[in-house]
Amino acid sequence: MLRNTLLLTLLPFTVGWIFEPFLKVQKDYQALTRRVTARHILLPPRSGEAGILLKQKIRNSDQYVEDAFAVAASRYSRDEETAVRGGLLGELVPQGYCRSPELDKACFEVRLGVVEGPIETDFGSHLLLVTERTNCPKLDGKDTKLKRSADDDNQSVLVPSPQADNMDLSFVAGQVFFWICIFFAGGILAELAAELASGGAQPMQQVGESSQHVVDQW
């Protein structure tokens, strides 16, 4: 009875000690594989009204939104490094890539294919356009990439990203590895439980034999 109580007491701690690292890896895997393609326009600090006017001008343009944004970035952005690339921050870059934490966070929160902002940071006011984002299913669903419409080059549509398939394959591989580890960890746990059980049974058997010997002598 005492042996079973001890085993049941230790079992949750043992399971938690074995499985907790794997559960943490599984939880963080999706966040670590998020990627984004985005453009920005850097304006002077507190350029709220001017930023809103420029945003509306880009939105109302007859051009494909990414083209219109790139033209505006090359003309108005104060970030010389990205202005020559039409405001391109990076293509499928990971979370944490941007120097500004506020801008980096916005890249994984704003709507896809929509000019957003102004976003205030230590560098100034930003307009932001995210054209592709992976591994944010709750935010984007299955359509995660901005593309020209097949019917009209100046219109845009959201389509599934080919990168999402690659991410899914990586996730599946990670899941296979995870469950293999779980299988082996479960075997180790079973062996540990068996050793505890056999270790407790042997002393009980010895006590019983000793008691029987005393009774016989008496």
Side-chain angles (χ1 to χ4, degrees):
M1 182 67 179
L2 179 61
R3 172 178 59 82
N4 293 336
T5 302
L6 179 61
L7 183 59
L8 290 174
T9 302
L10 293 176
L11 189 59
F13 296 100
T14 307
V15 171
W17 177 75
I18 291 175
F19 293 120
E20 185 175 356
F22 297 107
L23 295 175
K24 187 177 186 305
V25 170
Q26 186 183 37
K27 183 178 179 181
D28 294 343
Y29 184 85
Q30 191 174 49
L32 291 172
T33 53
R34 288 173 182 161
R35 297 288 186 271
V36 68
T37 299
R39 296 177 183 269
H40 86 129
I41 298 173
L42 178 61
L43 301 172
R46 295 175 295 279
S47 299
E49 186 175 349
I52 291 172
L53 289 174
L54 181 58
K55 176 175 68 174
Q56 292 300 330
K57 183 178 180 180
I58 297 171
R59 286 184 176 181
N60 296 334
S61 172
D62 293 332
Q63 287 182 287
Y64 173 56
V65 63
E66 191 171 9
D67 291 343
F69 193 96
V71 170
S74 63
R75 183 176 300 175
Y76 300 111
S77 182
R78 300 183 67 182
D79 183 354
E80 296 179 358
E81 182 180 349
T82 62
V84 295
R85 304 196 302 266
L88 183 65
L89 288 166
E91 293 182 306
L92 292 174
V93 294
Q95 205 161 4
Y97 178 82
C98 294
R99 287 176 292 177
S100 165
E102 297 86 357
L103 188 62
D104 188 78
K105 182 181 178 183
C107 284
F108 292 90
E109 292 181 348
V110 301
R111 293 170 293 175
L112 269 172
V114 179
V115 182
E116 300 279 17
I119 300 163
E120 293 294 333
T121 74
D122 292 339
F123 298 95
S125 297
H126 305 255
L127 296 183
L128 180 64
L129 175 65
V130 173
T131 58
E132 185 174 6
R133 187 164 49 207
T134 63
N135 241 351
C136 297
K138 290 184 179 180
L139 183 61
D140 302 325
K142 294 182 178 180
D143 297 330
T144 60
K145 180 179 175 63
L146 186 72
K147 186 178 179 181
R148 295 178 191 273
S149 171
D151 300 326
D152 187 345
D153 285 345
N154 294 325
Q155 297 299 315
S156 59
V157 293
L158 292 175
V159 298
S161 170
Q163 294 296 326
D165 295 334
N166 295 334
M167 294 293 180
D168 290 342
L169 290 175
S170 298
F171 183 74
V172 169
Q175 288 291 298
V176 170
F177 175 74
F178 171 77
W179 288 112
I180 289 174
C181 292
I182 292 294
F183 176 78
F184 283 109
I188 294 172
L189 182 60
E191 290 182 6
L192 178 61
E195 289 179 5
L196 287 173
S198 61
Q202 187 174 0
M204 293 294 292
Q205 184 180 1
Q206 291 176 352
V207 170
E209 291 176 353
S210 299
S211 299
Q212 183 64 40
H213 181 67
V214 170
V215 170
D216 291 343
Q217 285 185 339
W218 184 80

